[in-house]
Amino acid sequence: MLTLYTQVDEMIASLADRVAVVTGGNSGVGLEVVRGLVSTGHRVVLACRDIDRGRAASRAVAASLPSRSNDEAVLVAERIDVLPLNLSSLASIRAFAARVRDRYDGIGALVNNAGLVKPGGGLSADGHELHFAVMHLGHFELTRLLLDLLRRGQTRSGRPSRVVSVSAWGHRLAKPDFDAVRRADPNAFRAYCRAKLAQVVSTRAWAKQIPENEVAFFSLHPGIVRTNLAGDLGGLAQRTFELIAVTAAASAQLPLYLAQEPDLERWSGEYFSYRTFQRSFGHAPSRASRYADDPALQRRLRTLSEELSRV
């Protein structure tokens, strides 16, 4: 029988055939998360808006991983299931979740990675502020719809499933004006930070609702990730960016750690930062916004999310 990799240790064997769902997995950090999960034996559902780009990403991952034959490379590619998902549309989210439920009977990890910054703002297909709709509301609804599969994944594997939400340090700059999510916001940075704050607050709320021995929830700042935009900065700004920025592959190590590392359940609900993760003994959590621990705010956000998603 063909093996996918030249070396298979006990960790890979224990993770083999666990299913992971990754949103925005066709580029950047999301693509590196897909690559890392496949390399440890996961079957990955790569969710993205553009199905052709998703398939191209799937082929790129298969081509980049060690294989001893073309047949083995094909086996790697077959472990990536590309499905369309538009997080700005509740109808698309529900259709995606239905497809996942039809194909799989359990999920070991859900990585809520997809994000955007749209200058000038805009509204989602359902009439909600676009950044909030994609990065918080869409992921909230997706998590809710896949929660039964996450619980079954825990039952099958004997270890809690994980929900890992990629937030950002900018969440600490936001104020919780969640009434603003009912209209477009022309200030894309403000809307982005508000949506990232919602992800952190929601992670805390999910962790209170779901026992940590069933599903563990984490949010994170992936670091300042190096992109092609750096070349447009020029001068001192460009040199500073290049000094502090990290590659997508390096940034992906944190969500991969939170999705796979055993015995992290005691930190369910916590927020992690890439720099703290790299420097701290034991990879301890980082400090989140003071709003994250506000129980009234957690309840208000959950009520609003259920209302906007028409639960």
Side-chain angles (χ1 to χ4, degrees):
M1 181 178 179
L2 288 171
T3 59
L4 290 178
Y5 313 104
T6 56
Q7 294 182 344
V8 181
D9 58 20
E10 291 182 1
M11 178 182 175
I12 291 178
S14 69
L15 294 172
D17 292 323
R18 294 198 84 196
V19 177
V21 177
V22 181
T23 68
N26 61 300
S27 64
V29 176
L31 178 60
E32 297 300 331
V33 169
V34 170
R35 195 190 315 275
L37 289 169
V38 172
S39 71
T40 51
H42 283 80
R43 182 174 297 277
V44 179
V45 180
L46 192 163
C48 61
R49 288 185 301 168
D50 190 319
I51 199 75
D52 291 332
R53 289 185 180 181
R55 288 169 178 158
S58 172
R59 293 191 294 271
V61 168
S64 70
L65 294 177
S67 60
R68 296 183 298 188
S69 68
N70 288 335
D71 289 339
E72 196 167 347
V74 170
L75 281 176
V76 174
E78 288 178 349
R79 299 185 74 85
I80 305 175
D81 189 3
V82 182
L83 294 178
L85 172 64
N86 180 357
L87 283 163
S88 70
S89 165
L90 291 167
S92 175
I93 293 165
R94 287 164 186 153
F96 172 84
R99 291 188 184 100
V100 174
R101 288 196 299 268
D102 285 344
R103 298 185 186 199
Y104 303 100
D105 60 3
I107 296 174
L110 167 60
V111 182
N112 292 323
N113 165 77
L116 85 162
V117 177
K118 183 177 181 181
L123 294 174
S124 71
D126 303 288
H128 309 134
E129 195 283 312
L130 186 60
H131 300 82
F132 183 87
V134 169
M135 290 183 282
H136 166 66
L137 187 62
H139 284 136
F140 170 86
E141 180 69 352
L142 182 62
T143 301
R144 187 185 71 82
L145 292 172
L146 296 182
L147 193 57
D148 57 337
L149 292 187
L150 287 160
R151 281 173 161 148
R152 288 182 211 162
Q154 180 271 341
T155 302
R156 290 179 59 199
S157 69
R159 44 179 292 207
S161 298
R162 308 284 174 81
V163 176
V164 179
S165 295
V166 179
S167 180
W169 181 90
H171 86 276
R172 297 177 64 178
L173 303 177
K175 294 182 179 180
D177 180 14
F178 295 136
D179 289 336
V181 304
R182 300 177 187 273
R183 58 184 181 274
D185 190 338
N187 188 325
F189 180 72
R190 178 176 60 199
Y192 172 87
C193 291
R194 185 190 301 122
K196 292 301 186 182
L197 174 61
Q199 286 185 295
V200 175
V201 174
S202 185
T203 295
R204 290 278 210 270
W206 276 117
K208 286 184 177 181
Q209 180 186 358
I210 308 299
E212 64 187 33
N213 60 353
E214 292 183 7
V215 184
F217 296 82
F218 308 104
S219 62
L220 66 99
H221 166 51
I224 299 175
V225 184
R226 189 172 298 139
T227 69
N228 293 330
L229 295 177
D232 298 329
L233 296 174
L236 179 61
Q238 180 177 341
R239 290 194 294 273
T240 302
F241 179 89
E242 291 174 349
L243 181 65
I244 64 176
V246 300
T247 64
S251 176
Q253 296 310 303
L254 178 51
L256 284 169
Y257 174 83
L258 295 174
Q260 301 177 94
E261 185 71 11
D263 303 323
L264 298 183
E265 292 73 39
R266 66 190 185 280
W267 284 332
S268 184
E270 293 289 346
Y271 163 80
F272 290 75
S273 170
Y274 175 81
R275 292 295 180 187
T276 304
F277 171 78
Q278 290 292 319
R279 296 170 181 170
S280 67
F281 176 77
H283 302 315
S286 188
R287 185 165 62 99
S289 165
R290 63 187 176 88
Y291 296 114
D293 291 317
D294 184 339
L297 183 61
Q298 293 168 10
R299 290 191 296 270
R300 180 183 172 200
L301 177 61
R302 185 170 191 85
T303 299
L304 175 65
S305 301
E306 291 175 346
E307 176 188 341
L308 295 180
S309 57
R310 307 188 190 99
V311 176

